[in-house]
Structure formats: C-alpha cells, structure tokens
Amino acid sequence: METDLKMKLEQLHQRVDALKEQIGTEEATKNAFVMPFIQILGYDIFNPTEVIPEFICDIGTKKGEKVDYVIKRDGEPILIIECKHWRGNADAHNSQLHRYYHVSKARFGVLTNGHIYNFYADLEKPNIMDEKPFFTLDLSNLKDSNIKILEKFTKNGYHLEGILDSAEALKYIKAIRKEFEKELIEPSDELVKMLVSKFFEKPLTATRMVAFKEYTKKALATSINESINSRLKNALHINDSISQKPAVPVEPIDENIGSEEGPKVITTNEELEGSQIVKAILREHIPSSRIAFRDTQSYFGILLDDNNRKPLARLHFNSSNKYLEVFNQGKDKGEKKLLNDIDDIFNYKAELVDTLKNYE
C-alpha cells in the first residue's frame, strides 16, 4: 500500500511539473492537481455523497459560503479542503479554512496549492483550527515517514485516533526542532548555563557568559558540521578506495566549454564533496531537485533550477588555494571566500541562504 501510494504521488508530481505553466486559474489547479490527489487517497471524486465540491456552509451572518471540497465517510465529514492557485502560498494565514473548520464537524482541514498540502487539526482548542499545520506533504520531496502518515487519511486506511496521535507527536517534534535550531544560531543563557555547569565550577560572570556563549555557538556548529560531513562522505563513498577512481566528467556550464581542440572539463571528488555540502545547507530551504550542478574549466557551478542566471555558489578548486564564491549581494557581485578546508563551506551558510532570497 505504502509503495503504491508513493508511486502514484510521484506520478502526480510529474504531472504537476509538466502542466503547471499551462494552469492559469485556481479552478484549473483544482481540476488538474487536487482532484487527482483526492482520487489517489481512494475517494470517489464522482460520488457526490463522498466527495462534495463547492460545499455550501453558513458562517455566522455570512450565508452560502463555500468550501472547495468536503470528504465524507459514513455520511460524516472527515476532511475539508481549500485550494489555492498553484503559484499561491499554501499557508492558512488569513485563510477561509479557519472559518470553515469552525462550523464543520471535520477534525482535519487541508490547505493546498496543488503541490504542497498543509494538514491542520484542533490540538490547541477543540473545534478551533490550529494556526500551524501538524503535517506538510510536499510532492517534490516525498519522504517515507510522510507517506505513512498520509496512509491514515486514505479511504481504506483512515484512522482518526491514529492520526490524532501522530498529529500531536508531529506538532511537538516540530516545535522542539524549531527551538533547537534557534539555539544553534544563538544559544540562550539557559542552555549555556546548563552545559557549562557540567564542567565549570566557577561563577558565570557577565563577561564569562559572553565568552561561553560564543564557545557554545562554535561547539554546536562544529558538532553539527562534522556530523553532516561524515554522512556526506559515507554517502559519496569518499574513502581510500574510492579516491583512486578516475574523476567524473560533468556537463560544462558556459563559455568555458571544453572541445576536441581544448582541454576537457574534469570534476574532482573534492568538487563533488563541496557541492554536496552546499546542497545539504540549501536543502533545508528548497527541494534538492531545484539544486543543479555543472562544471567548467575554471570553476564548479551550483545553480538554482539549472538556470545560469541563478548562481547559488561556485567552487574554485583548480588552484593551490580553494575558494567558495557566494552571490548573496547579487548574481553579478560574486565574492570569493578562502577555504582552509572544505568543511569551511559550513561557515558561509548565511550567505548561501541569503542568495536564495535574491531569486524569490
């Protein structure tokens, strides 16, 4: 069931990617993307007692308000769905979904733009939809753990208690992760005191607190970076035996293209490792499928959407000194950063993430 569900969702993602540029309206988004998704969950989109489009519900003094879809099971609504245009934001802020949820008996609401599906519940207050989704499904990044959760929403696998248990766990795991990530960026006094008290017996004066905050920040960053780098090396099989393999040719990127008359582009294992570090950093903010690699004789290029006009970074590893070129100041204002070690790429996470904002 899980494999079949994932395969169908992957096919839907391919459909979304192929057709989205031709989809000009919200209604077209619903017909082309959302209805097939509902069908994948096992519900009969042609059965008006099971999947009800344009469901009319009275909201306070507003009469005749409509919700895009209501899915019923045994005659009772279990899921309400609001759709946006595929270019729209699938965020429920100021969404009508809040109002629909309040007057519905359904325990779950979904806001979607056809490729991102945000699932909401009422974990905070009964019958009042939470501000934040407990579960997000991104068709461009289908994880097995997400497929297992989605299975519980299918017609054959629907399990209210199981979903609620998962929803609560997901909500708090997400909240804990958010706080943890905040601590990584700027450790709090409480965290510093807790860690330092394990080995430092003297009082923490204001001056010492400032110093230990910086130490903690560097220690956490180093620990995370080394862990990520270790996984990348394992994934790339960069070890003594693999390093003996010949370098891999990669498609050239621009005017530095090799030819039969000139030297050909060679991609080294160091460039591959460096590019995977950049990918790991940016993967937290965009799907990995949007990050492309192309090589030249003078540098290794990392691009957004495989677009030469959207450079994310460049690796200059063809000389004795190694540099990471960043573009946070603009695509035409690249700035080279000297790297003493490939791991130093992690030190420029902020610049790499800021570069994404240039293309929003």
Side-chain angles (χ1 to χ4, degrees):
M1 172 63 180
E2 182 181 327
T3 303
D4 185 50
L5 181 59
K6 185 173 184 178
M7 181 183 67
K8 289 180 179 179
L9 290 171
E10 287 173 342
Q11 291 172 348
L12 178 59
H13 175 232
Q14 294 172 4
R15 173 187 175 88
V16 171
D17 269 0
L19 296 178
K20 63 185 181 182
E21 295 300 336
Q22 303 172 46
I23 302 299
T25 66
E26 184 178 298
E27 190 66 27
T29 300
K30 289 193 290 185
N31 293 336
F33 303 152
V34 181
M35 288 181 69
F37 177 80
I38 296 173
Q39 200 166 28
I40 286 172
L41 294 183
Y43 299 101
D44 186 354
I45 59 175
F46 301 108
N47 182 349
T49 65
E50 187 169 283
V51 179
I52 310 173
E54 298 294 319
F55 183 77
I56 298 175
C57 55
D58 295 334
I59 304 174
T61 58
K62 293 186 177 181
K63 305 297 181 180
E65 288 283 305
K66 294 181 180 179
V67 60
D68 291 319
Y69 297 102
V70 168
I71 296 178
K72 287 189 174 183
R73 182 183 177 89
D74 299 326
E76 294 294 329
I78 60 172
L79 199 63
I80 55 176
I81 303 175
E82 182 187 352
C83 308
K84 300 292 185 183
H85 184 264
W86 71 267
R87 291 185 186 273
N89 192 337
D91 189 338
H93 183 64
N94 293 329
S95 164
Q96 290 178 315
L97 193 65
H98 286 283
R99 301 199 300 275
Y100 295 150
Y101 190 95
H102 180 65
V103 298
S104 169
K105 293 181 180 179
R107 292 297 305 273
F108 307 105
V110 176
L111 184 65
T112 180
N113 57 12
H115 56 95
I116 294 176
Y117 291 78
N118 282 323
F119 288 72
Y120 296 83
D122 56 351
L123 301 176
E124 294 289 344
K125 297 178 182 178
N127 205 35
I128 297 178
M129 195 181 84
D130 297 336
E131 290 293 327
K132 296 181 180 179
F134 69 86
F135 169 52
T136 296
L137 180 77
D138 184 345
L139 293 183
S140 67
N141 183 27
L142 294 171
K143 300 177 182 178
D144 290 341
S145 57
N146 288 349
I147 300 297
K148 289 180 179 179
I149 296 170
L150 190 65
E151 274 188 331
K152 297 175 183 177
F153 284 97
T154 62
K155 183 176 180 178
N156 293 330
Y158 183 76
H159 188 253
L160 176 61
E161 291 74 16
I163 297 174
L164 290 174
D165 288 343
S166 297
E168 184 174 31
L170 287 167
K171 173 188 173 183
Y172 291 120
I173 289 171
K174 186 183 294 184
I176 292 170
R177 178 179 174 179
K178 184 177 181 180
E179 293 303 318
F180 176 68
E181 290 173 349
K182 286 181 182 177
E183 294 286 1
L184 290 178
I185 297 172
E186 196 61 48
S188 65
D189 290 355
E190 292 77 13
L191 178 65
V192 174
K193 289 177 182 177
M194 181 191 75
L195 294 175
V196 173
S197 66
K198 305 288 184 180
F199 58 85
F200 191 79
E201 298 180 356
K202 297 178 183 180
L204 273 182
T205 63
T207 302
R208 281 176 174 160
M209 175 59 79
V210 171
F212 273 117
K213 266 198 170 186
E214 191 61 28
Y215 300 156
T216 301
K217 185 175 181 179
K218 290 182 178 179
L220 293 175
T222 300
S223 177
I224 296 296
N225 291 347
E226 289 182 354
S227 176
I228 293 174
N229 193 45
S230 176
R231 291 188 180 187
L232 287 172
K233 286 183 178 180
N234 289 335
L236 291 168
H237 302 288
I238 297 178
N239 49 39
D240 291 341
S241 61
I242 296 298
S243 64
Q244 301 304 315
K245 289 189 175 182
V248 181
V250 173
E251 181 184 353
I253 189 173
D254 57 15
E255 69 278 359
N256 294 300
I257 294 175
S259 64
E260 293 182 2
E261 293 77 22
K264 293 186 177 181
V265 174
I266 300 296
T267 302
T268 66
N269 282 328
E270 272 193 328
E271 288 173 326
L272 289 174
E273 184 179 357
S275 67
Q276 290 300 319
I277 292 176
V278 174
K279 185 174 184 177
I281 291 171
L282 297 178
R283 176 62 192 80
E284 298 177 6
H285 303 273
I286 57 174
S288 58
S289 59
R290 297 189 64 192
I291 303 172
F293 304 140
R294 291 201 235 167
D295 206 353
T296 74
Q297 292 175 29
S298 55
Y299 61 79
F300 186 101
I302 303 171
L303 306 171
L304 179 65
D305 299 328
D306 206 11
N307 189 331
N308 285 340
R309 296 187 299 276
K310 296 182 178 181
L312 295 170
R314 288 175 181 171
L315 305 178
H316 297 267
F317 286 3
N318 295 331
S319 63
S320 57
N321 290 325
K322 294 178 175 57
Y323 297 89
L324 170 71
E325 187 174 3
V326 294
F327 296 88
N328 54 304
Q329 300 300 322
K331 66 182 180 68
D332 299 319
K333 298 180 180 179
E335 183 179 356
K336 292 183 179 180
K337 307 290 186 180
L338 178 64
L339 304 175
N340 295 317
D341 185 88
I342 293 180
D343 287 350
D344 286 351
I345 293 174
F346 287 108
N347 297 333
Y348 300 101
K349 178 177 180 180
E351 287 84 349
L352 292 169
V353 173
D354 284 345
T355 300
L356 289 175
K357 300 175 183 177
N358 294 337
Y359 308 125
E360 291 180 349

